[in-house]
Amino acid sequence: MSKDHSSEKYTGVAQLLHWLIALLVVAQFALAWTADALPRDERPAALMLTHKSIGLTILALAVVRLAWRIMHKPPAFPATMSIIEQWLARLAHWGLYVLILAMPLSGWLMVSAAGRDVEWFWLFTIPAPMGENEAWGDFFHETHEILAWFLFGLAVFHVLIALWRTFMKKDGTLQRMLP
């Protein structure tokens, strides 16, 4: 008989990083959609600086989250999850990690290829990792936008599956990530 792992939880650090990154990603989409709704020359500089600053914050938090995840084994999946569901859950989680790392990196490289450094919340400047290059700027701009749609889709899928498992399957999935 397999052990019921539905009462096992992620560590408090993992929970904090998960929800903080989730909140910042939602803020990023709101900021990006607000910026996209405005003509390029009418976008407030503070809006874009905030977007870039939050992006770099997400990058730093994601590195910490990934390191924590590697050093601290997550709780086992609920016993009600099939092997295929477990495999898909792992694939989705690792996909989210990749996208949450790739999004800010592509944005930083896009800005760098435009010949600009990134200022972090008006406190200090993070130098460009590459020189100005219009072709690379276009490439990273397109990459950033495509990755954004993948992240949006996978995040929505992640939320819907967590809610479905919590309210329909009643296997404690969401509770594992709640304090």
Side-chain angles (χ1 to χ4, degrees), residues 19-30 54 58 100 151-152 155:
W19 292 109
L20 185 55
I21 291 170
L23 178 66
L24 291 173
V25 166
V26 169
Q28 283 297 76
F29 278 105
I54 291 174
I58 290 171
I100 288 170
L151 177 59
F152 181 79

Side-chain angles (χ1 to χ4, degrees), residues 2 8 10 34 36 48 51 62-63 73-74 86 98 113 121 133 141 154 161-162 167 179:
S2 64
E8 293 184 21
Y10 283 85
T34 299
D36 283 348
M48 296 314 297
H51 180 74
V63 168
K73 185 179 177 189
Q86 291 177 32
V98 167
F121 290 113
N133 184 309
H141 181 266
L154 190 53
I161 292 298
F167 296 111

Side-chain angles (χ1 to χ4, degrees), residues 76-145:
F77 290 113
T80 57
M81 286 182 79
S82 71
I83 297 298
I84 292 171
E85 289 174 316
Q86 291 177 32
W87 183 82
L88 290 171
R90 283 186 191 96
L91 183 64
H93 285 133
W94 286 106
L96 285 167
Y97 285 125
V98 167
L99 290 168
I100 288 170
L101 290 166
M103 278 296 302
L105 285 172
S106 65
W108 186 17
L109 291 169
M110 173 181 61
V111 170
S112 298
R116 298 186 306 268
D117 294 330
V118 175
E119 193 174 343
W120 190 76
F121 290 113
W122 300 274
L123 297 174
F124 56 86
T125 300
I126 299 172
M130 65 184 295
E132 188 171 353
N133 184 309
E134 186 177 349
W136 279 112
D138 292 342
F139 171 79
F140 286 118
H141 181 266
E142 287 300 312
T143 300
H144 194 66
E145 288 193 358

Side-chain angles (χ1 to χ4, degrees), residues 49-88:
L49 186 137
T50 302
H51 180 74
K52 294 169 192 173
S53 297
I54 291 174
L56 289 174
T57 302
I58 290 171
L59 178 60
L61 291 171
V63 168
V64 172
R65 173 76 172 102
L66 186 57
W68 186 265
R69 167 69 172 73
I70 290 168
M71 294 184 303
H72 297 84
K73 185 179 177 189
F77 290 113
T80 57
M81 286 182 79
S82 71
I83 297 298
I84 292 171
E85 289 174 316
Q86 291 177 32
W87 183 82
L88 290 171

